[in-house]
Amino acid sequence: MSDEESDELPTGGGLGFSHPNPGRRKFEDDEDTRRKPSYKKMKFSKDTAPQGPSKPNSFAAKMMAKMGYVEGEGLGADGRGRLAPIETQLRPQGAGLGAVREKTKQAKEEEKREAAFRGVELEDSEEEAKTRRRKQRENRIAGGGSGASTPGGSRARPKIKYRTATEIEADSEGLQVPNVLKSLIDITGKETKLLTSNLTPGIAVVPSETPSTRIAKEARRDLEAFADEWRGLSDRKKFYDLQSSQIVGDLDAEQEEIRRLRSVVETIQELQQLSVESPITIEDANSWEAVTRKLESLEIDFNDDLENYNLQEIAVAAIHPLFRAAMLDWSPLANPTLTVSYMQRLSHVLGIASSSTSDALVSQEYQPTTLRPRKSTSHYETLIYTLWLPPVRTAITTTWDPHDPTPLTTLLTTWRPLLPAFIISNLTEQLIIPRLTTALSAWKPHHKRQHHQPPPPHTWLFPWLPHLPPHHTDLSYPSSFLATIKQKLRSLLSAHPIPSGPPTYLPPWQPLLPAALPPLLTTHLLPRLATYLHTHLLIDPSAQDLAPLTTTLAYLPLLPPSSLAALLAAELFPKWHAILHLWLTSAPNYDEIREWFLWWKEQLPGPLGTHPLIAAEWTKGLETINHALELGPDAATLLPPPAAGPSRPLSAAAAANGTSATASPRPAAGPAKPLLPEPTFKDVVEDWCAEEGLLLMPLREAHELNGAPLFRVTASASGKGGVVVYMKGDVLWARSKKDRGVWSPVGLDGGLVGLAGG
């Protein structure tokens, strides 16, 4: 319902006032008016002011006047109230809410007036916005065009474009229009519209058609329709031709595919015939050669379709009888190259991964999950796992001697390009490394009861280093094979007999352990050398025994000169200075002292004799001699004695830094302190485990009650099994394998060896 219709609805008022004019009132939008509105002084025009009461002298008008009401102004003290009574909006009978506009035009004007008092602009309602947009759209349609629009504002119809017969013929490929029809069609075109003075101006009239014009129009329409149909048929013909060529191409491809499949079937039948003609033996080279040639020809003919036709599976099935017969009586260590030449020729058709994949365990950086898991193995991997791996596993566990690495390394080197990565990992982790670790644990170069000494470990361990995964040659991994070797060397150095000379097994390991071996020597060998020199070396000018010094100097190739110089400064020179002082205070012969001094300097040749620590000791001796010469006969009483014994025990840090703590002399009286701290019970247990070929591994756990650290004593190279123990005082307590809460004391004897081996 429009606004005009709503204005015509009957309205009602109250209090005896007539209805106001619903015209819109305009207010000035200046700043002063918004800040301080003078509602009392507002004047209204004739159109916008409300009409006065119909009866100015009525009771209602007099009562309103007494309350301050002025006619033409709004209600309230400031005149901001309503100008007219509230109108009622009547609905048609039976109409519900929403059938008509509930808000009257007078109410809308009151809202806008109140908004003007507040200084805000009241937005139009949704219905008013729709009405405004509709009027604007009607105005655009009515006023659109170029200014010469037809009456009523309707748009001009598009002009008709007529084509000539030649254009129609050119647009329809293959269509030929007769010349007679061309001339007939081309005489028609746009009709001329004439204006006469007898007609109404602006009205065009088309002259009447002649029979020839009508015939020409019909001919044009027929030609247009025929041309459209012609183009449609031409497009369909092109589509059918293209579809026909595609079908022919597909048929040719199918025929070629059938031919190739027949060729594959014939080759498979020939391979099957070769496998059943005669029994196969391990020495049947003719059968291998025949099958290999057939598979090579199959690979050449169908190189691009090996996976599409499952030819890899067919190739594995073809060699399966031959390979199974070869593996039955195969001795891997005696004949490591059996069938390798044929397998290498068939590597592609069998689906063997490249050697880079097999060498992944050696070339790439170690990751916790080196191999990506797959749902299933390939046919070739299954062949290797079921036929090749069992005899190799048997040979490694039963007949292979770890001290002779050549047969097994030759086998792995030959087969490595043909083996899957998980097969190599299985052999290395589960078979080879445990056997090598067991052999290394059994190597005891100082064991007196061992009559037959095996070859040095470097002779049979070094050849395996290129075949081990990277993490086994990294000392940062506690479970690596190189860490096991380091632990073994530490145990040997802790128990090495010093008088026997430098360990001959140690120099070959220096290039392999350049950073780990010096700390081992400083920690486990140098303190024992200090103890030996302190105990066995005596300084006697009349009959000097240099055997302890010679034995100590023999370790110079293993130890840096700075460490050995610190050792001599702490253990040799205190005794030497004491004898020199005794000689100088007992009627000395300075010529003999001079010869004795020069003789001792000759005993420390090379970089050791010129080391700053040794040079300082020689200088100190010369100063003592010169002081005695200056004192003369009073040297016997006035020459100060040197510090008695070594200054302090030689520490590993001092030996590593090449320094000696001679600046803090000890009193001459009292027994000398021991050079090394007394070994603990843990050191005793570690040495005993090393002698027995056992491993003492910390578990990083503590006893639930006493908090003592727990260890595992085991004979397994993997660190599993064995028995869990802890140390309390000088007693070793072992946990029961049946009841984990029961602990019992054990001794370092065969009983503990049995528990560790179990």
Side-chain angles (χ1 to χ4, degrees):
M1 182 179 296
S2 63
D3 294 339
E4 291 77 0
E5 295 174 352
S6 63
D7 295 339
E8 296 175 359
L9 293 175
T11 59
L15 301 179
F17 290 96
S18 62
H19 300 292
N21 190 347
R24 300 178 181 269
R25 182 179 180 182
K26 300 182 180 179
F27 298 93
E28 293 182 357
D29 193 14
D30 58 314
E31 184 177 358
D32 296 336
T33 304
R34 288 195 303 270
R35 293 181 179 176
K36 297 180 180 180
S38 299
Y39 305 111
K40 294 289 185 178
K41 298 180 180 180
M42 286 185 179
K43 302 299 182 180
F44 300 91
S45 63
K46 183 178 180 180
D47 297 334
T48 59
Q51 299 178 1
S54 58
K55 296 179 180 181
N57 297 324
S58 64
F59 173 78
K62 293 179 181 181
M63 183 179 62
M64 294 289 291
K66 289 180 181 180
M67 289 187 293
Y69 172 74
V70 179
E71 186 176 357
E73 296 181 359
L75 299 177
D78 53 0
R80 295 183 60 176
R82 300 184 62 85
L83 290 175
I86 299 176
E87 292 181 340
T88 58
Q89 182 82 348
L90 300 181
R91 301 190 191 96
Q93 186 176 3
L97 291 175
V100 296
R101 290 181 176 86
E102 301 295 334
K103 188 177 293 186
T104 63
K105 190 173 183 180
Q106 183 260 347
K108 296 177 183 177
E109 293 296 334
E110 287 290 341
E111 289 182 356
K112 292 182 179 180
R113 175 176 168 273
E114 179 66 22
F117 283 134
R118 294 195 305 268
V120 298
E121 183 179 356
L122 186 65
E123 297 182 355
D124 295 339
S125 63
E126 184 178 358
E127 295 177 355
E128 293 175 344
K130 289 182 179 180
T131 304
R132 186 176 64 256
R133 288 196 297 269
R134 177 173 55 80
K135 291 182 178 180
Q136 291 176 356
R137 185 166 58 253
E138 292 176 354
N139 293 336
R140 285 197 302 269
I141 295 175
S146 60
S149 58
T150 59
S154 60
R155 298 181 181 179
R157 292 183 298 175
K159 298 180 180 180
I160 300 176
K161 183 179 179 181
Y162 295 94
R163 295 190 300 173
T164 63
T166 304
E167 292 175 347
I168 296 174
E169 184 179 13
D171 191 30
S172 303
E173 183 181 359
L175 179 63
Q176 295 181 357
V177 182
N179 294 330
V180 177
L181 189 58
K182 288 182 180 180
S183 58
L184 178 62
I185 293 173
D186 290 342
I187 67 174
T188 62
K190 182 178 179 181
E191 296 83 359
T192 304
K193 299 180 180 179
L194 303 177
L195 294 176
T196 63
S197 59
N198 297 328
L199 300 177
T200 303
I203 302 299
V205 178
V206 180
S208 59
E209 293 182 341
T210 62
S212 60
T213 305
R214 186 169 57 253
I215 294 174
K217 285 186 177 181
E218 293 179 356
R220 174 183 293 277
R221 288 195 296 268
D222 293 342
L223 180 59
E224 290 282 0
F226 186 82
D228 292 341
E229 186 66 21
W230 178 273
R231 287 191 297 271
L233 293 176
S234 299
D235 293 340
R236 293 178 63 184
K237 180 179 181 301
K238 291 179 181 179
F239 172 74
Y240 290 145
D241 292 342
L242 179 61
Q243 190 177 23
S244 176
S245 62
Q246 291 178 351
I247 293 174
V248 171
D250 293 342
L251 289 176
D252 294 341
E254 292 292 337
Q255 292 293 335
E256 179 65 19
E257 187 74 12
I258 292 173
R259 185 191 64 79
R260 293 171 65 84
L261 288 175
R262 287 178 179 175
S263 178
V264 172
V265 171
E266 292 176 359
T267 305
I268 295 174
Q269 291 176 350
E270 293 176 359
L271 290 172
Q272 186 177 8
Q273 187 67 24
L274 287 174
S275 62
V276 299
E277 282 182 351
S278 59
I280 301 172
T281 62
I282 191 173
E283 301 295 339
D284 194 356
N286 294 330
S287 299
W288 270 103
E289 185 65 28
V291 172
T292 302
R293 289 183 178 180
K294 282 293 181 183
L295 291 177
E296 287 176 340
S297 63
L298 188 68
E299 177 185 354
I300 295 173
D301 295 338
F302 305 98
N303 187 33
D304 298 334
D305 297 322
L306 293 179
E307 295 184 1
N308 296 335
Y309 296 157
N310 292 330
L311 295 184
Q312 296 176 351
E313 180 181 357
I314 294 173
V316 172
I319 68 168
H320 184 275
L322 296 172
F323 196 74
R324 181 179 56 186
M327 296 294 106
L328 287 177
D329 299 327
W330 181 41
S331 178
L333 301 180
N335 187 12
T337 60
L338 181 66
T339 71
V340 171
S341 60
Y342 301 110
M343 302 291 284
Q344 290 176 346
R345 291 166 58 183
L346 301 175
S347 60
H348 183 60
V349 72
L350 290 175
I352 301 176
S354 61
S355 59
S356 60
T357 303
S358 299
D359 294 339
L361 295 176
V362 177
S363 60
Q364 68 181 3
E365 184 179 357
Y366 172 71
Q367 300 291 339
T369 55
T370 304
L371 302 178
R372 181 176 298 178
R374 293 184 300 175
K375 293 183 178 180
S376 61
T377 58
S378 64
H379 299 284
Y380 175 76
E381 292 172 347
T382 303
L383 177 74
I384 294 297
Y385 184 80
T386 56
L387 297 181
W388 184 89
L389 187 58
V392 174
R393 183 188 295 271
T394 302
I396 293 175
T397 55
T398 58
T399 62
W400 175 53
D401 182 11
H403 302 118
D404 184 12
T406 303
L408 191 54
T409 55
T410 303
L411 176 68
L412 290 182
T413 303
T414 305
W415 281 89
R416 178 177 289 273
L418 304 174
L419 295 178
F422 76 92
I423 296 292
I424 299 177
S425 177
N426 182 281
L427 291 176
T428 305
E429 299 288 348
Q430 299 184 13
L431 298 176
I432 298 175
I433 290 181
R435 290 293 309 276
L436 294 176
T437 304
T438 303
L440 182 64
S441 301
W443 175 54
K444 302 175 182 179
H446 309 309
H447 207 285
K448 298 179 180 180
R449 294 175 295 178
Q450 193 171 2
H451 301 288
H452 175 68
Q453 284 288 347
H458 68 275
T459 60
W460 44 274
L461 288 180
F462 282 7
W464 282 109
L465 296 180
H467 300 275
L468 297 180
H471 66 281
H472 276 293
T473 57
D474 190 354
L475 286 173
S476 61
Y477 290 93
S479 60
S480 65
F481 185 65
L482 207 58
T484 304
I485 296 175
K486 177 184 174 182
Q487 184 179 4
K488 181 65 177 180
L489 294 178
R490 182 185 64 82
S491 301
L492 293 175
L493 290 175
S494 300
H496 178 72
I498 299 299
S500 63
T504 57
Y505 55 82
L506 204 57
W509 295 100
Q510 287 180 329
L512 185 63
L513 303 171
L517 199 56
L520 286 179
L521 295 172
T522 303
T523 305
H524 299 280
L525 185 62
L526 191 62
R528 303 183 71 250
L529 278 174
T531 303
Y532 173 78
L533 193 62
H534 175 75
T535 305
H536 296 83
L537 179 63
L538 297 176
I539 305 300
D540 186 2
S542 60
Q544 183 63 55
D545 182 13
L546 292 178
L549 179 62
T550 304
T551 301
T552 304
L553 295 179
Y555 289 85
L556 185 58
L558 299 178
L559 299 171
S562 58
S563 299
L564 203 56
L567 171 65
L568 296 178
E571 302 298 339
L572 168 65
F573 280 99
K575 297 180 180 181
W576 187 84
H577 286 299
I579 297 299
L580 177 62
H581 179 271
L582 180 62
W583 199 347
L584 291 174
T585 56
S586 303
N589 185 347
Y590 286 97
D591 293 333
E592 294 179 355
I593 293 176
R594 175 179 175 275
E595 293 178 0
W596 181 74
F597 180 85
L598 296 177
W599 180 84
W600 267 107
K601 291 190 67 174
E602 294 175 356
Q603 305 309 313
L604 304 177
L608 183 61
T610 58
H611 194 274
L613 288 178
I614 304 300
E617 297 295 336
W618 297 135
T619 302
K620 181 180 177 181
L622 287 176
E623 291 176 353
T624 303
I625 295 174
N626 292 333
H627 194 188
L629 289 173
E630 293 175 357
L631 293 176
D634 296 333
T637 57
L638 300 180
L639 185 66
S647 302
R648 61 184 181 186
L650 180 66
S651 63
N657 297 329
T659 59
S660 178
T662 59
S664 302
R666 297 181 306 169
K673 294 182 180 180
L675 290 175
L676 292 175
E678 185 178 355
T680 62
F681 182 65
K682 179 183 176 183
D683 297 333
V684 176
V685 175
E686 287 181 346
D687 294 340
W688 181 83
C689 291
E691 291 292 334
E692 297 296 333
L694 303 177
L695 296 178
L696 181 66
M697 302 176 60
L699 296 181
R700 297 182 181 179
E701 298 178 6
H703 193 273
E704 297 178 355
L705 300 179
N706 55 30
L710 301 182
F711 300 85
R712 183 182 298 277
V713 181
T714 178
S716 174
S718 62
K720 300 179 180 180
V723 61
V724 178
V725 301
Y726 74 89
M727 306 170 194
K728 187 176 182 181
D730 292 341
V731 180
L732 190 67
W733 294 80
R735 185 171 64 187
S736 175
K737 295 184 178 180
K738 296 181 180 180
D739 188 356
R740 298 173 62 90
V742 177
W743 298 81
S744 57
V746 294
L748 301 179
D749 50 18
L752 182 57
V753 175
L755 293 175

